Amino acid sequence: MVKYLVSKSLSLVCVVAASSVASAQNWVMPTPFGYRNQPTQIAYEFAEDVQALTNGEVNILVKSNGHALPHLAIPGAVMTGKVVIGEFLLGLLDKQNSIFQHDMIPFLANNYDDSQLLWQVSKADTQKQLHKLGLHYLYVVPWTPYSAFSTRKIENIDDFGGLSIRAFNQTVTSLIQKLGANPVKVPLKDVTSAFEQGKLDGRFASLSVGEDSQIWTYAPYLNDLRIWIPKEIVVMNKSAFDKLDEKTKAAIEKASLKAERNGWLQTKERVETDLASLKNGGIIYSKPSNKLLRELEVINQRMTQEWIEQDPKQNGDIYRAYREAQRQSKGIK
């Protein structure tokens, strides 16, 4: 009788354990960049936090460096539910709605204080448009500033003329064309070989990506324009998120808040270390001349106006709120 009861108890334990394993959710999270980049490191920390906060009921397997999906395929994969969660550049959605273009308008917000102000005033409308796409917003992580890496020195706007520069969305394509250069679409994984084969002469990339990819080996010139500070965004399929119980939702949101806070703090701290690594690697460094900055400011004004005109209510309100936030932050009445 005792043997029977022990056997039955063990069976019940096994059934409960099996049920617990079966109820756990295991999600693959594709990310486009390598582990050395801050957004990817934040993603791994986020996954660990979600697992801990849900007591193992949600397990996120981060697949970095495009190993799960190519960068450009990630947004659509999350929209359709092919994957539950994913990370990508916010600006990749710029064809879906013009609000997403704000992230890559040159010099609109190219320092961290302004970038945070712009995100604060655009966040609500961005979330609204994400919901329309079937996406639920979790968090963003800014990059270190994007600058111009090239195979030859760039000193003025004419030096961009005729260069083949990597384009990955319509906003960047528009910028490249306004510079008199040629936009070329090349998958992220093929960028290095495209330079080596002469298909690319330049790219806009963050200091972190440049350092991580040892960019000096194929594009040795850096003009430190700091043209924008785009954001990596992490989103879930909205339908999948909505089906979660409230306790799990709260755990994921808590991990998301921590990830975004750490992203803004930690990435800002990497700017000078990444720049030092680039110089140590052999990058030929220059700062933009005042003449080049004036020439680029003209392009900024054109692209900002074009962005506002696409949706005067939505984008115009964001722009005005952003300028007002800037004035208040500087104590200007």
Side-chain angles (χ1 to χ4, degrees), residues 24 153 223 265:
K153 192 171 185 178
N223 193 312
L265 290 173

Side-chain angles (χ1 to χ4, degrees), residues 11 84 108 205 236 255 271 302 324:
S11 297
V84 173
L108 181 61
M236 280 186 62
V271 175
R302 286 175 58 192
E324 177 59 27

Side-chain angles (χ1 to χ4, degrees), residues 150-152 154 159-165 176 180-184 200-202:
S150 57
T151 56
R152 68 179 191 228
I154 294 172
D159 292 332
F160 283 101
L163 290 181
S164 295
I165 299 178
I176 293 169
N182 304 312
V184 179
L200 284 177
D201 306 304

Side-chain angles (χ1 to χ4, degrees), residues 250-287:
I252 292 172
E253 297 289 5
K254 183 176 181 180
S256 298
L257 286 171
K258 177 184 173 183
E260 182 156 330
R261 182 177 65 251
N262 287 347
W264 284 101
L265 290 173
Q266 295 174 14
T267 305
K268 186 177 181 180
E269 294 171 354
R270 288 189 56 161
V271 175
E272 294 307 316
T273 56
D274 284 342
L275 188 55
S277 294
L278 286 164
K279 291 178 179 178
N280 289 338
I283 207 75
I284 302 169
Y285 178 85
S286 64
K287 289 185 176 181

Side-chain angles (χ1 to χ4, degrees), residues 156-196:
N156 55 63
I157 203 164
D158 292 336
D159 292 332
F160 283 101
L163 290 181
S164 295
I165 299 178
R166 180 175 182 252
F168 47 85
N169 67 358
Q170 82 175 18
T171 312
V172 176
T173 297
S174 176
L175 170 62
I176 293 169
Q177 290 171 335
K178 286 177 171 61
L179 290 169
N182 304 312
V184 179
K185 291 185 178 181
V186 175
L188 185 61
K189 66 181 179 64
D190 297 331
V191 168
T192 301
S193 60
F195 272 95
E196 292 170 348

Side-chain angles (χ1 to χ4, degrees), residues 62-114:
V62 177
K63 289 279 190 176
S64 62
N65 214 27
H67 287 153
L69 287 169
H71 193 183
L72 298 180
I74 296 174
V78 183
M79 288 181 205
T80 59
K82 182 178 179 180
V83 293
V84 173
I85 186 171
E87 175 194 300
F88 52 86
L89 272 171
L90 177 61
L92 291 188
L93 297 173
D94 66 352
K95 283 187 177 180
Q96 303 291 335
N97 187 280
S98 60
I99 192 171
F100 301 113
Q101 295 176 21
H102 78 267
D103 207 42
M104 292 186 179
I105 295 174
F107 298 106
L108 181 61
N110 67 333
N111 64 66
Y112 284 97
D113 289 340
D114 284 349

